[in-house]
Amino acid sequence: MKEKIISLIEEVLNLPAGSITEDTIIADVEEWDSLAHVMIIGEMQEKLGISIPVDEAVEVTGVAELLEKAGA
C-alpha cells in the first residue's frame, strides 16, 4: 500500500517516479502546496479507499506521517 500511496502522490504532483520517498518532507517539495495536499487526500480516498479526517490531514508534514495516518 505504501508504494501505491507514494505513486499516487507523484501522479498528483506530476513528478517522475522515485521523486517521493517515505522520508520526503512536504515543505521540501515545491509542487506540494495546500491545494495539492487537498487533492492528494481526495485521491487517496477516491482511488484507494483511504479516508483521513480533515483535522488530521492538515497537520501532516511529511510522507511518513501521511502513510501512518493512512494505516500503511
Side-chain angles (χ1 to χ4, degrees):
M1 185 57 81
K2 288 180 184 182
E3 294 80 18
K4 286 184 179 181
I5 294 171
I6 289 172
S7 176
L8 183 138
I9 293 168
E10 291 169 338
E11 182 183 322
V12 170
L13 298 179
N14 201 23
L15 295 172
S19 299
I20 301 292
T21 68
E22 287 187 50
D23 299 324
T24 300
I25 300 300
I26 293 171
D28 294 340
V29 182
E30 187 178 331
E31 295 85 353
W32 199 330
D33 58 14
S34 57
L35 178 59
H37 192 70
V38 170
M39 290 173 60
I40 288 165
I41 301 301
E43 288 288 298
M44 285 174 60
Q45 184 164 357
E46 187 177 316
K47 292 187 175 175
L48 304 176
I50 298 169
S51 182
I52 299 174
V54 176
D55 59 328
E56 289 183 27
V58 297
E59 297 172 0
V60 172
T61 59
V63 174
E65 194 178 349
L66 184 64
L67 293 171
E68 182 182 317
K69 292 199 181 296

